[in-house]
Amino acid sequence: MLRTTLSGRSSRTLLMLSLAANAILLLVGSYVFTGRGGGCEEGQYPAYHRFLPPQSLHFNASSLTQAVQETVFVGGVPRSGTTLARAMLDAHPDVRCGEETRVIPRMISMRSRWSKSQKESSRLREAGISEETLDGATRAFISEIILNHGKSAKYLCNKDPLVLNYVQDLSRIFPRSKFVLMIRDGRAVAYSIVSRNVTISGVDSKSYLSAALFWNKVVQRMSTDCVNHRKRCLMIHYEDLVSNPRKWMTKLLDFLGIPWHENVLHHDQFINSEVFLSKLEPSSSQVRREVNTESVEKWRQKMPVDIQKEIYKKCDLLKELGYPP
């Protein structure tokens, strides 16, 4: 039993570790018993064995490792085209991304805080819990979410916009993963956040400037991490994707090592069959349509000119990324 003298924070930490440990058992069970990763090969078992005790079965550890390491993480600042990118990937018959859960960024954020907090990391070391153990538990938790919140597929990905705040952590925990960073003109992002009243922590959803400064700060960090992991991270500008979807989807699939399929250019034809949209995501209504360029310059007609100029002056990243005044 836990001592009643444990602090609230310590109790939460132990609770999360307990949940992660359970996720390991669930992960092994779901992977082994359902035959994920290529069907029921030698050492694997069909779905009706799912609830047999794990110790009574054998499993292929190398297959388990491969399954959890090759995840594709799609992210960027909200309202930057992340939903469109994942919907186009979802249209591919061998790919499954699914709706955003927001669970994974929160989990990886918690993992990051455990290491950054001297008090928490010291406490965990004293308890005999290593960085490797924490990474393994976090990997199991995240993998359980990714594997089981949608149908099985040869290639799995996760789309949570702010997950790319944690490229360094994810690249360590999932050493064979890849990242897709969607970037959009910060003024268009700001207009979309304000006009749709999108709630983002720390952002005034009624202020174009507040949203644009948030974009500048977050994209600066994400793009720096992407460049530092350039062999595993691809940056795609939303404007390029919608203007020439064939070119950029070809480049994306090549980068991911996924064979080309024409379906990715017609995601709107596969809504509710291959592409599933959440009614809680603000972008869902727009993504139901075919790829188009209607929203690329819409902000210029809707946003006050003086605000446009102020944003361009204060958001230096706009010029660095090649966006005109």
Side-chain angles (χ1 to χ4, degrees):
M1 295 178 62
L2 292 177
R3 296 181 184 177
T4 57
T5 56
L6 281 174
S7 68
R9 179 179 294 182
S10 299
S11 298
R12 289 193 296 272
T13 299
L14 291 173
L15 175 60
M16 289 307 303
L17 288 173
S18 175
L19 290 172
N22 281 315
I24 293 174
L25 296 177
L26 289 170
L27 173 63
V28 172
S30 64
Y31 184 82
V32 175
F33 305 155
T34 60
R36 282 196 178 91
C40 297
E41 301 171 347
E42 183 178 357
Q44 296 179 320
Y45 296 82
Y48 54 78
H49 288 289
R50 183 178 179 92
F51 299 105
L52 288 179
Q55 60 268 29
S56 69
L57 303 173
H58 302 286
F59 66 91
N60 187 328
S62 63
S63 295
L64 177 62
T65 302
Q66 180 178 352
V68 299
Q69 286 184 352
E70 294 183 347
T71 304
V72 177
F73 292 96
V74 179
V77 175
R79 312 304 300 164
S80 293
T82 56
T83 303
L84 175 63
R86 81 87 176 163
M88 296 174 78
L89 283 172
D90 261 334
H92 194 297
D94 293 334
V95 179
R96 194 264 291 157
C97 298
E99 306 89 331
E100 65 183 61
T101 66
R102 300 194 181 184
V103 171
I104 292 173
R106 292 169 183 168
M107 182 63 189
I108 198 69
S109 174
M110 183 177 291
R111 168 65 187 97
S112 181
R113 290 199 300 273
W114 287 336
S115 293
K116 290 179 180 178
S117 168
Q118 184 176 353
K119 182 178 180 180
E120 288 299 316
S121 58
S122 296
R123 191 192 312 277
L124 291 168
R125 281 197 302 272
E126 285 295 311
I129 299 174
S130 66
E131 292 291 305
E132 291 74 17
T133 298
L134 289 174
D135 280 352
T138 304
R139 181 186 305 114
F141 186 98
I142 291 174
S143 297
E144 179 71 8
I145 298 296
I146 293 173
L147 285 167
N148 287 306
H149 89 97
K151 66 179 183 179
S152 298
K154 185 175 182 180
Y155 304 98
L156 296 173
C157 79
N158 167 255
K159 189 279 286 189
D160 275 296
L162 295 179
V163 75
L164 260 66
N165 272 328
Y166 308 99
V167 168
Q168 293 187 35
D169 294 294
L170 287 168
S171 64
R172 181 187 69 252
I173 295 171
F174 292 86
R176 292 175 62 182
S177 61
K178 288 189 176 180
F179 307 94
V180 180
L181 172 58
M182 292 298 300
I183 295 178
R184 185 183 183 186
D185 189 315
R187 293 160 295 186
V189 171
Y191 170 72
S192 184
I193 289 173
V194 172
S195 64
R196 291 180 174 272
N197 195 30
V198 176
T199 302
I200 301 174
S201 179
V203 177
D204 181 355
S205 61
K206 292 180 171 56
S207 169
Y208 293 122
L209 182 59
S210 174
L213 290 173
F214 170 79
W215 171 89
N216 197 76
K217 178 182 178 180
V218 174
V219 173
Q220 182 70 67
R221 178 171 61 247
M222 288 182 176
S223 59
T224 297
D225 285 344
C226 195
V227 169
N228 290 338
H229 295 80
R230 59 175 56 88
K231 291 185 178 180
R232 295 170 57 188
C233 184
L234 178 66
M235 287 188 281
I236 298 178
H237 286 257
Y238 168 80
E239 297 83 2
D240 292 336
L241 178 61
V242 297
S243 298
N244 195 337
R246 180 176 293 276
K247 174 184 176 180
W248 284 96
M249 286 307 294
T250 298
K251 187 171 184 176
L252 174 57
L253 293 178
D254 285 347
F255 171 74
L256 299 176
I258 299 175
W260 173 259
H261 200 288
E262 284 289 318
N263 284 12
V264 300
L265 300 180
H266 308 286
H267 76 279
D268 55 299
Q269 299 178 18
F270 299 96
I271 302 295
N272 296 328
S273 58
E274 295 289 338
V275 182
F276 295 93
L277 302 173
S278 169
K279 62 183 180 181
L280 300 180
E281 291 183 41
S283 300
S284 292
S285 59
Q286 295 167 293
V287 172
R288 290 182 178 278
R289 303 172 57 195
E290 63 182 3
V291 177
N292 63 81
T293 60
E294 289 180 11
S295 61
V296 170
E297 294 286 328
K298 187 176 182 179
W299 61 271
R300 288 192 183 274
Q301 287 76 46
K302 300 291 185 177
M303 186 185 294
V305 175
D306 59 327
I307 299 296
Q308 295 181 29
K309 292 180 178 178
E310 185 179 11
I311 290 175
Y312 198 78
K313 181 179 179 180
K314 293 185 176 180
C315 296
D316 55 333
L317 199 59
L318 286 168
K319 186 179 295 184
E320 291 181 28
L321 292 172
Y323 288 109

